[in-house]
Amino acid sequence: MVRKKAKRAAKAKPVKAKSKAKKTTAKARPIDLYYWATPNGFKISIMLEECGLPYVMKPVNISKGEQFNPDFLKIAPNNRMPAIVDPQGPGGRPISIFESGAILQYLGRKTGKFYPADERGRVEVDQWLFWQMGGIGPMAGQLNHFKHYARETLPYAIKRYEDEVNRLYGVMNTRLADRPFLAGKYSIADMACVGWVNLWKRQDQNIDDFPHLKRWLETVKARPAVQRGMALGMELRQGIDMKDPKVQGVLFGQRARAS
Ligand SMILES: N[C@@H](CCC(=O)N[C@@H](CS)C(=O)NCC(=O)O)C(=O)O
């Protein structure tokens, strides 16, 4: 059922992002977005919506193992979504990109939006983007695993990641005490973080302990492009039980595969 829906969605007509932002490319050909509705996927759907770039969502149902499809692996050798193919890449030729941070930087350079061109401004954004990639993303991901999906309850592991997420929330809260967004102006760094902080309840955190972070979360989530980006493909996830041994068999215990 979900697969049928996913296939229908894959054949769907190009989505013209609804952003009112000035379009950067006349007659832009749509970008293929390989995607599943998770905080890592949201980073790119949000950016595409914010930039008003046309795109076609190609669902990668990770609970069914579609991330291992040979055609997908050619684009994303790490068997993880998101990934994109831009038919109008550098030199007018197609380019494929995996890793959400690299995709955000590419789209920022391509459009000149949400990623400053001056070196100081760019470094500000990069620091917080990489902080997300190496910090809040993986730590919250591990917390989610041990807290919600692990077959054994491991209090040590849960506490370790809960503490670390709490520490990272504190870092973000301090950073946001004297500026509206992580790098001053709204940028790809904020887009990278919002899907993760939005899960504060599930991470057993109390957002009221972090007033600046709370204000930031509300501000970012109020943006229509963020709302559209975080709603994309949610319907495809309905009815999937992450505790189903078949699903867990696909997602957990992955080891190197013979090439
Ligand atoms: N560092 C990667 C992480 C992407 C990632 O972990 N994606 C997950 C979903 S949130 C995935 O595709 N998982 C498939 C799997 O575990 O096999 C990025 O930021 O693009």
Side-chain angles (χ1 to χ4, degrees):
M1 183 63 186
V2 171
R3 173 161 248 148
K4 269 189 194 157
K5 268 192 189 168
K7 278 196 174 149
R8 271 203 301 277
K11 282 180 194 154
K13 284 189 185 146
V15 179
K16 189 86 172 283
K18 285 184 188 133
S19 166
K20 284 190 188 126
K22 206 174 131 219
K23 304 291 177 289
T24 44
T25 37
K27 288 190 204 153
R29 301 211 318 268
I31 289 173
D32 286 338
L33 168 62
Y34 291 84
Y35 171 90
W36 199 239
T38 75
N40 281 317
F42 297 153
K43 299 175 195 174
I44 313 305
S45 51
I46 291 172
M47 179 63 170
L48 290 165
E49 289 288 341
E50 290 282 14
C51 292
L53 286 166
Y55 63 93
V56 179
M57 192 257 279
K58 308 263 183 186
V60 181
N61 186 338
I62 59 173
S63 68
K64 290 205 166 152
E66 291 176 4
Q67 65 275 38
F68 293 103
N69 287 351
D71 284 347
F72 180 67
L73 289 175
K74 282 185 200 149
I75 298 166
N78 192 39
N79 67 266
R80 300 279 188 272
M81 70 86 225
I84 63 165
V85 176
D86 180 359
Q88 287 172 321
R93 285 177 289 114
I95 188 169
S96 70
I97 312 172
F98 72 101
E99 277 297 321
S100 57
I103 300 169
L104 287 173
Q105 289 176 321
Y106 170 77
L107 293 174
R109 290 191 300 268
K110 178 183 170 86
T111 59
K113 290 177 179 165
F114 310 110
Y115 191 39
D118 71 286
E119 187 60 11
R120 279 184 191 280
R122 187 157 283 189
V123 167
E124 285 289 293
V125 172
D126 285 346
Q127 293 177 107
W128 288 94
L129 178 62
F130 280 74
W131 177 86
Q132 186 287 317
M133 296 297 300
I136 191 99
M139 296 304 122
Q142 293 301 325
L143 175 56
N144 194 37
H145 178 84
F146 286 110
K147 205 169 178 55
H148 299 290
Y149 302 141
R151 281 188 211 147
E152 299 166 60
T153 304
L154 297 172
Y156 179 87
I158 295 172
K159 177 154 176 20
R160 172 168 166 76
Y161 291 113
E162 215 174 270
D163 285 350
E164 185 58 2
V165 169
N166 187 270
R167 184 188 72 79
L168 291 162
Y169 272 27
V171 171
M172 227 175 151
N173 189 58
T174 303
R175 173 73 180 177
L176 291 164
D178 60 355
R179 72 204 82 211
F181 300 103
L182 288 167
K185 279 192 194 160
Y186 180 61
S187 75
I188 53 175
D190 302 292
M191 297 179 206
C193 291
V194 63
W196 296 100
V197 179
N198 193 37
L199 297 175
W200 58 270
K201 268 190 208 148
R202 201 171 155 75
Q203 296 159 356
D204 257 353
Q205 305 294 328
N206 181 3
I207 199 75
D208 291 322
D209 292 344
F210 306 99
H212 309 298
L213 183 59
K214 184 178 180 183
R215 182 261 311 145
W216 169 90
L217 181 63
E218 284 165 2
T219 308
V220 176
K221 279 180 65 181
R223 295 179 69 91
V226 172
Q227 289 167 14
R228 290 194 298 274
M230 288 174 57
L232 184 73
M234 283 303 276
E235 71 287 355
L236 301 176
R237 286 189 55 165
Q238 265 169 32
I240 296 175
D241 177 6
M242 290 292 291
K243 294 214 169 114
D244 179 340
K246 262 202 216 155
V247 173
Q248 295 210 340
V250 171
L251 287 171
F252 308 144
Q254 295 178 1
R255 289 172 64 89
R257 294 186 173 199
S259 51

